Amino acid sequence: MTESALNKPSINDTCYSCHAEKRGPVLWEHAPVTENCVTCHNPHGSVNESMLTHRAPQLCQQCHADDGHASRVVQQPGVDAFGGGKSCLNCHSQIHGSNHPAGSTLQR
Ligand code: HEC
Ligand code: HEC
Ligand code: HEC
Ligand code: HEC
């Protein structure tokens, strides 16, 4: 009776049945996570780590068009913290939401 014949009422309820720690509640939610896990993940598999639909920063920039960080002087992928390593996730590591009192920007 559900969309895509899932055995739970929604996509997120399907995911929570195994990934229970992602259900929250968290102090600082990241809106797309609460809304729909498959906005960022392909649950059937992907060529990217963590079964992501895209890698950071492109994943993030689909919604955060300009990250607007005042101190971003050098824009060289692979060289600075914004493009190298885990890119945006170098700093915004709590991407599924944060329980830290000062975690509003998902950094702790
Ligand atoms: C029946 C249980 C089950 C359900 C339902 C489930 N998963 Fe998983 N998922 C797993 C298991 C088991 C792993 C592997 C965990 C490991 O390797 O440590 C996993 C791994 C993952 C990973 C990590 C992959 C990686 O490379 O680290 C992601 C992302 C993920 N699942 C997303 C989802 C999403 C999104 C949904 C809902 C559409 C979902 N899962 C539903 C059991 C489930
Ligand atoms: C805004 C995009 C986004 C959404 C929406 C999202 N995730 Fe993720 N997820 C990520 C990113 C990015 C990583 C990789 C994190 C890293 O490498 O540090 C990840 C990693 C994971 C992993 C593997 C590592 C871990 O934290 O356990 C699982 C499992 C997972 N996600 C499950 C889920 C589930 C379940 C949902 C829905 C409740 C969800 N994700 C929604 C972006 C997202
Ligand atoms: C599907 C759209 C979408 C994607 C993809 C997405 N986000 Fe978000 N993000 C949002 C929305 C919506 C909010 C809530 C904005 C608000 O409340 O003003 C948000 C909030 C945030 C915040 C908190 C900002 C604040 O002002 O409170 C950070 C940090 C953030 N996202 C980082 C990321 C990173 C890093 C990625 C990639 C791993 C990512 N987002 C992917 C939609 C998205
Ligand atoms: C070097 C660490 C670092 C990296 C890498 C980083 N950010 Fe941030 N980000 C921050 C800090 C610190 C803040 C808080 C700024 C403030 O409060 O004024 C922030 C704030 C934000 C916000 C909140 C809104 C705003 O503009 O104040 C969003 C959205 C965001 N970052 C998205 C991203 C995205 C998308 C990426 C990848 C392209 C990224 N960040 C990479 C450190 C980083």
Side-chain angles (χ1 to χ4, degrees):
M1 301 289 280
T2 58
E3 208 183 325
S4 303
L6 293 172
N7 63 14
K8 292 282 186 298
S10 72
I11 291 176
N12 274 29
D13 285 325
T14 307
C15 312
Y16 296 151
S17 64
C18 294
H19 301 284
E21 80 289 354
K22 298 284 188 291
R23 182 194 295 270
V26 290
L27 191 54
W28 304 102
E29 288 184 346
H30 191 198
V33 177
T34 317
E35 196 179 293
N36 191 344
C37 308
V38 309
T39 303
C40 300
H41 294 287
N42 183 341
H44 296 120
S46 147
V47 296
N48 301 314
E49 248 181 74
S50 298
M51 306 196 306
L52 291 168
T53 53
H54 299 84
R55 288 164 219 245
Q58 285 82 5
L59 175 72
C60 317
Q61 287 168 337
Q62 292 173 94
C63 299
H64 301 286
D66 186 334
D67 56 64
H69 295 78
S71 63
R72 189 175 178 185
V73 182
V74 191
Q75 302 206 13
Q76 279 179 279
V79 175
D80 64 326
F82 293 90
K86 299 181 100 178
S87 184
C88 314
L89 299 162
N90 287 335
C91 301
H92 302 287
S93 56
Q94 305 304 306
I95 204 62
H96 300 106
S98 166
N99 268 322
H100 192 284
S104 68
T105 52
L106 313 177
Q107 301 187 53
R108 59 190 87 199

